[in-house]
Amino acid sequence: MSVPVGMWEEFIDRRREPEYLRNVIIGMSSVMAVLTIPLLICSFSVAETANAGFNVVFTGFMLIGWEIGTIMLMQRGPTALSYGFFTGSSLMMTVVTLLTSIYWGQLSQCDSTYNDILSQFTCTHTGGMGGVCAFSVLVWLVQIPFMALIFSQKETIVGMGMGLDDENYPSDDFYRYSFKQNASGSQHSSGRGGRREPVGIEISPPVYD
């Protein structure tokens, strides 16, 4: 999966713009949702598999819910709290998707030779099992850059929920504060026995026009 040079250069230049980043995340979530639909359809075909059918159907619905929830969250703008929940659930779904692809990829190889070894499972609809594996891999391949993006652009994503647009969005120093000491120096005498106490530090949050 290659990205055209022009699109990559545009992404590098504009990745800190809230509206551009919002559209990228929504676009990636939409791609994953499109890939999850056939995964969910394949999961229905293997739902009768003993000891495993319900799990894959439930996983498909979880993926759809996570992807729709991501789109809704980006449209509204995440807060610091919802960002933490969002990244945690995204990491969990990435792991679940990987495990699903491995599990059903192995199970799709079952045949009469493996019936004794895999006697607790029903070896039917191997084509559906292979479909679950294939689409899980495709979703996972999109999840990897998706996770890298949301972790690397934390400040920009959280800034969406603060109503900051592209023009007045703060720079990389968004979470830094300027500390000002008073004119008396780093320490001053309290006048009681010559004991010296640290001076107070004034915290001035950044101001944006």
Side-chain angles (χ1 to χ4, degrees):
M1 183 183 299
S2 61
V3 179
V5 176
M7 293 180 58
W8 176 253
E9 291 178 350
E10 180 184 8
F11 171 76
I12 294 298
D13 294 337
R14 303 183 59 189
R15 68 187 186 278
R16 295 189 183 279
E17 298 179 11
E19 193 60 31
Y20 178 80
L21 183 61
R22 187 199 311 271
N23 293 333
V24 171
I25 294 177
I26 291 177
M28 296 181 73
S29 301
S30 301
V31 170
M32 289 186 288
V34 170
L35 294 173
T36 304
I37 292 175
L39 188 157
L40 190 59
I41 294 174
C42 292
S43 71
F44 292 147
S45 68
V46 298
E48 297 179 355
T49 303
N51 300 319
F54 173 78
N55 294 342
V56 67
V57 174
F58 186 66
T59 299
F61 280 113
M62 282 198 307
L63 281 170
I64 286 289
W66 168 66
E67 290 148 0
I68 294 176
T70 298
I71 294 174
M72 296 176 61
L73 180 64
M74 289 299 109
Q75 291 176 340
R76 184 186 62 184
T79 61
L81 180 61
S82 60
Y83 171 81
F85 179 80
F86 166 58
T87 52
S89 60
S90 298
L91 181 60
M92 180 193 72
M93 293 310 304
T94 302
V95 174
V96 169
T97 305
L98 176 61
L99 295 177
T100 300
S101 62
I102 296 174
Y103 180 84
W104 286 95
Q106 293 178 336
L107 196 58
S108 66
Q109 301 176 10
C110 67
D111 53 23
S112 58
T113 305
Y114 293 93
N115 280 341
D116 293 335
I117 301 176
L118 303 176
S119 57
Q120 69 271 30
F121 301 104
T122 51
C123 187
T124 57
H125 304 291
T126 55
M129 295 175 180
V132 169
C133 172
F135 287 108
S136 296
V137 170
L138 293 176
V139 173
W140 184 75
L141 290 176
V142 182
Q143 286 176 328
I144 294 301
F146 179 86
M147 291 299 301
L149 179 63
I150 64 175
F151 275 109
S152 63
Q153 301 301 322
K154 173 183 176 181
E155 291 84 359
T156 306
I157 295 175
V158 174
M160 296 176 188
M162 301 176 64
L164 300 176
D165 55 28
D166 293 345
E167 295 181 356
N168 62 9
Y169 190 80
S171 63
D172 294 342
D173 296 330
F174 176 63
Y175 288 104
R176 299 177 185 175
Y177 296 95
S178 59
F179 296 89
K180 298 180 180 179
Q181 293 181 338
N182 58 25
S184 62
S186 61
Q187 290 185 337
H188 71 283
S189 174
S190 64
R192 292 176 294 178
R195 185 168 61 89
R196 302 170 68 86
E197 298 178 350
V199 301
I201 298 178
E202 177 185 356
I203 301 178
S204 300
V207 178
Y208 307 103
D209 296 332

